[in-house]
Amino acid sequence: MQLRLERLSKAFDGHTVLHSVSVSVPPCSAVAIIGPSGCGKSTLLRIVAGLLPPDSGKAEVDGQAVPREAAALAAYRRRLGVVFQDYNLFPHLTAHRNITLPLTEVHGLGVEEANARAGKLLERFGLLRHAHKRPGALSGGQRQRVAIVRALAIQPQLFLFDEPTSALDPEMTVEVLEMIQSLKEEGARFLLVTHELAFARAVADRVVFLSEGRIEEAGPAAQVFGAPRHPACQRFIARILKY
């Protein structure tokens, strides 16, 4: 994945969330976006995902600008597997149907192929016995793992994770992080917004640090976590990782 942001800005109700941010991230497998709560991390990810238009500036992924025109934007989104912090599962559908619905209705798979793909992935990640449960009957960790399977099922070119463990207790957090780790080991590419800095340090190739809507530091994970240069980044990492 190659990520480039050029003077990207976004405001809501007169409050600027992203202040003309620019960064160029060279090709790599995994990028982590870190920073304090409310600094604009999720807004940035949603712009990259094509779910939110910027007020000005542009974002490029793999050398291609995130489209603005409806048809091109829809095609771009079909190449992404997006996982949100609040799961975004349909509450009235089973886990299995939550996975097959995008396959048949958006990606054009036949019912038999969609069912087979969903079943194989549910089994792989230890969720097959929960396939016919609705989200309300699943634990938070199970719901998030189903959401990741749903994203994986479309065979995306890129995953985007938006704080995937923020609503989970420690045990469930470990389940989800292990699942993401396994995807990385299999060659998946992803952009990860997270407050789990130890995990980001372990899986990310590059790190982008946001503070108050500005990118204050960006670089290789080893450098940002091992010897951060910007004072705000130094304080943030020292406070969270206790060193």
Side-chain angles (χ1 to χ4, degrees), residues 85-133:
Q85 56 185 301
D86 55 359
Y87 325 123
N88 274 26
L89 299 175
F90 292 108
H92 62 292
L93 300 179
T94 65
H96 186 274
R97 186 58 178 143
N98 264 283
I99 296 165
T100 60
L101 182 65
L103 295 177
T104 57
E105 301 303 317
V106 178
H107 296 273
L109 271 67
V111 172
E112 184 175 344
E113 184 180 358
N115 286 339
R117 188 180 296 185
K120 183 177 180 179
L121 289 171
L122 286 167
E123 182 175 19
R124 172 185 167 188
F125 291 105
L127 292 163
L128 192 58
R129 64 192 179 96
H130 304 295
H132 299 292
K133 295 179 182 177

Side-chain angles (χ1 to χ4, degrees), residues 130-145:
H130 304 295
H132 299 292
K133 295 179 182 177
R134 294 181 181 180
L138 301 173
S139 70
Q142 289 164 348
R143 288 195 292 270
Q144 192 61 291
R145 285 157 62 204

Side-chain angles (χ1 to χ4, degrees), residues 41-226:
K41 302 186 298 296
S42 291
T43 298
L44 177 54
L45 183 134
R46 286 172 179 268
I47 290 174
V48 173
L51 299 173
L52 192 65
D55 294 334
S56 60
K58 67 176 181 178
E60 293 182 358
V61 178
D62 294 333
Q64 176 188 358
V66 177
R68 300 289 185 94
E69 190 270 331
L73 183 58
Y76 171 77
R77 288 177 182 166
R78 284 196 292 270
R79 301 198 299 268
L80 306 178
V82 185
V83 180
F84 300 95
Q85 56 185 301
D86 55 359
Y87 325 123
N88 274 26
L89 299 175
F90 292 108
H92 62 292
L93 300 179
T94 65
H96 186 274
R97 186 58 178 143
N98 264 283
I99 296 165
T100 60
L101 182 65
L103 295 177
T104 57
E105 301 303 317
V106 178
H107 296 273
L109 271 67
V111 172
E112 184 175 344
E113 184 180 358
N115 286 339
R117 188 180 296 185
K120 183 177 180 179
L121 289 171
L122 286 167
E123 182 175 19
R124 172 185 167 188
F125 291 105
L127 292 163
L128 192 58
R129 64 192 179 96
H130 304 295
H132 299 292
K133 295 179 182 177
R134 294 181 181 180
L138 301 173
S139 70
Q142 289 164 348
R143 288 195 292 270
Q144 192 61 291
R145 285 157 62 204
V146 169
I148 294 173
V149 166
R150 178 179 60 184
L152 179 60
I154 69 170
Q155 300 176 345
Q157 295 179 14
L158 177 67
F159 286 95
L160 291 95
F161 294 102
D162 184 11
E163 297 278 15
T165 63
S166 65
L168 305 179
D169 64 27
E171 183 177 358
M172 294 175 182
T173 292
V174 170
E175 291 180 1
V176 171
L177 294 182
E178 287 178 345
M179 189 174 181
I180 297 172
Q181 174 77 54
S182 72
L183 296 177
K184 170 71 184 301
E185 292 170 355
E186 293 171 8
R189 306 186 310 156
F190 57 82
L191 179 63
L192 170 72
V193 168
T194 185
H195 61 279
E196 298 284 347
L197 295 196
F199 180 69
R201 181 171 58 182
V203 302
D205 303 306
R206 313 284 297 195
V207 175
V208 174
F209 172 73
L210 270 174
S211 180
E212 297 181 348
R214 296 177 172 86
I215 294 177
E216 302 290 10
E217 186 155 354
Q223 178 265 304
V224 174
F225 284 113

Side-chain angles (χ1 to χ4, degrees), residues 16-27:
T16 301
V17 178
L18 294 174
H19 297 264
S20 192
V21 299
S22 297
V23 72
S24 182
V25 178

Side-chain angles (χ1 to χ4, degrees), residues 236-243:
F236 177 73
I237 290 176
R239 185 173 70 250
I240 302 299
L241 295 181
K242 311 297 184 187
Y243 65 73

